[in-house]
Amino acid sequence: MVKICVAGTIALLLTFYSAQVACAHQPFFEEDDTNEDTPMVVRDPTISTALYATLETNDDVDYFAFSAVKGSRVLVGITVPQIEGQQEFAPTVAVVGPGLPAGVLPAPVKSENYRGYGVIIIAPTPPRGFFEPFSRTKYWSRQSEYVEIPGDATYTVAVWHEPQDETGRYVAVIGDREVSGGDPEFASKIDEYWTPVTTNLHTEEKLSLWQQLFDLIRLTGKRAGTLLRYPK
């Protein structure tokens, strides 16, 4: 009987330990859409942080930021949840900051804020599927790269889809040191997150549709006024 109890206790401890290892990264959700002026900040880029985010429109660009020290190596990558319709969804990543290799900033992230900064582009690669046992969810691993930090500074990670014709959900991964933590409400939020994105119009397209609607209202109003002045 004692042996059975001990074996059961060991099995329970191993199960608990496995769950802890599986969720050792720190997950957070993009609660509000980020931009270059209000990036989502990663407090410690050495810790494996999973940022659950969404490109909500075709021209959406998400921004994340972290401060790092010279000589460190920071893992930056993208995984894509296996949500219906996301088989071809493959965001591009740019790491921007002082001292990084010189390069031309991609059009979606060009800004006066980054004048004189270098850039590393991390393009998507063919997807590799994997199962995350703790949350019991599936993902495609798209791309990852260790970025050599040239100096003590703040660095920006920009994420967009190239070409800008897709919307979807993704997980930006920053850091590789496994430490438990993250959003304590992760379990209650993941189900709502795990749904297809339906909004996919460019900002310009939205404005065009609104303009067409206003024109129609104005035209309808003119016709109504004409009928009132000249009834049949």
Side-chain angles (χ1 to χ4, degrees):
M1 179 66 177
V2 173
K3 289 182 178 179
I4 294 175
C5 290
V6 170
T9 301
I10 292 174
L12 182 62
L13 289 173
L14 287 174
T15 301
F16 176 77
Y17 177 75
S18 298
Q20 291 298 307
V21 170
C23 66
H25 63 266
Q26 297 191 0
F28 295 95
F29 288 91
E30 178 195 30
E31 303 292 352
D32 298 310
D33 193 31
T34 62
N35 57 53
E36 62 183 280
D37 296 318
T38 58
M40 191 172 179
V41 177
V42 175
R43 287 173 293 183
D44 186 344
T46 69
I47 294 177
S48 179
T49 306
L51 306 164
Y52 286 71
T54 303
L55 294 179
E56 298 170 345
T57 62
N58 288 350
D59 55 355
D60 191 11
V61 182
D62 287 339
Y63 292 84
F64 309 93
F66 63 85
S67 295
V69 298
K70 181 178 180 178
S72 59
R73 300 173 72 244
V74 176
L75 176 67
V76 178
I78 292 287
T79 63
V80 175
Q82 291 190 19
I83 298 173
E84 182 181 357
Q86 296 213 144
Q87 292 86 344
E88 303 301 323
F89 184 61
T92 297
V93 178
V95 183
V96 183
L100 292 176
V104 178
L105 284 174
V109 296
K110 281 188 175 178
S111 169
E112 291 297 317
N113 295 341
Y114 306 138
R115 177 174 292 181
Y117 284 2
V119 59
I120 294 176
I121 305 296
I122 309 176
T125 58
R128 291 179 291 107
F130 69 94
F131 177 73
E132 202 288 294
F134 182 75
S135 61
R136 302 194 64 78
T137 49
K138 295 180 179 180
Y139 300 82
W140 290 291
S141 178
R142 272 296 183 179
Q143 69 255 58
S144 64
E145 183 174 324
Y146 278 94
V147 177
E148 301 279 351
I149 302 301
D152 297 0
T154 297
Y155 297 84
T156 298
V157 177
V159 179
W160 74 100
H161 197 278
E162 183 67 42
Q164 289 184 282
D165 59 358
E166 294 284 345
T167 61
R169 303 195 191 280
Y170 67 93
V171 183
V173 178
I174 297 177
D176 63 351
R177 186 162 59 92
E178 300 291 346
V179 177
S180 296
D183 189 338
E185 298 181 3
F186 174 80
S188 63
K189 294 178 179 179
I190 189 65
D191 285 344
E192 181 179 353
Y193 175 84
W194 210 269
T195 55
V197 179
T198 55
T199 304
N200 59 2
L201 293 177
H202 286 285
T203 300
E204 294 81 1
E205 291 174 324
K206 291 180 180 179
L207 293 174
S208 176
L209 288 175
W210 278 112
Q211 186 60 54
Q212 292 177 40
L213 178 60
F214 290 144
D215 291 343
L216 179 60
I217 293 173
R218 186 165 59 249
L219 180 60
T220 303
K222 288 182 178 179
R223 287 179 176 175
T226 301
L227 288 175
L228 287 173
R229 288 196 302 271
Y230 306 104
K232 293 183 179 180

